[in-house]
Amino acid sequence: SASATVWRLGWCLHPPALSSLYRGVHDQLVAMAPHPMQYASLAYLNLPTEYFRETLSSRYINRIQKLANALKSIGFGVILPEGSYYLFVDFENVNELKGLSPTDAAMYLLEKVGVASVPGDNFYGKSEEGKKYLRFAACRSNTDIDNAIVRLKEKLHPVMT
């Protein structure tokens, strides 16, 4: 699909004094990259601009919107992304997750619902701001997202007020 969601392509600019330190990291990241991955990366970087501006972006926008709508219907407060495929969601109004820590909520989803998420407090360091958030990724296939939505809707319910 050339989505490259788990590829790590990059480069590093650094002062000359750091060259010897960077060389060890460089060897692990670049020199040992599997040969087929190097060719795949080259093909990816040579795709036409329209692929990235139209095809790929509309694919992700549709997946993000589908997952966001489903999460909202269950009671999650959804923060729509502005440039990524991650949905940062407030889980306080989901009955089964209310009162749990982000880690406990993520583990509940994984063990009881069969859907993976990342605890939101992972993104806040020592701050308390992330204590009611989870992060979902909409980079999976439509089939995977549809299956996750079915599981979420079967096993989670909004808090009744």
Side-chain angles (χ1 to χ4, degrees), residues 18-138:
L18 297 178
S19 290
S20 62
L21 295 172
Y22 179 70
R23 179 59 48 198
V25 173
H26 177 269
D27 287 345
Q28 297 297 315
L29 295 175
V30 179
M32 296 181 186
H35 195 69
M37 186 63 140
Q38 293 174 14
Y39 282 104
S41 298
L42 181 60
Y44 175 75
L45 293 171
N46 284 312
L47 286 170
T49 303
E50 296 79 32
Y51 177 79
F52 298 99
R53 286 192 181 148
E54 297 167 19
T55 307
L56 193 58
S57 64
S58 66
R59 180 183 304 159
Y60 282 119
I61 288 168
N62 293 336
R63 292 174 187 178
I64 290 164
Q65 199 58 58
K66 181 192 319 187
L67 183 56
N69 289 340
L71 291 169
K72 286 177 188 177
S73 76
I74 300 164
F76 287 97
V78 177
I79 299 169
L80 289 172
E82 296 180 12
S84 74
Y85 49 74
Y86 296 113
L87 293 168
F88 216 63
V89 303
D90 178 337
F91 63 85
E92 286 185 318
N93 289 318
V94 177
N95 193 52
E96 293 78 3
L97 306 179
K98 187 163 183 65
L100 298 179
S101 71
T103 299
D104 290 341
M107 291 307 296
Y108 182 93
L109 289 175
L110 187 61
E111 294 171 353
K112 306 283 188 204
V113 180
V115 174
S117 64
V118 177
D121 56 357
N122 282 355
F123 305 100
Y124 283 92
K126 295 180 182 179
S127 168
E128 290 290 311
E129 292 180 44
K131 68 181 181 183
K132 62 180 184 174
Y133 294 107
L134 294 169
R135 187 184 78 174
F136 289 89

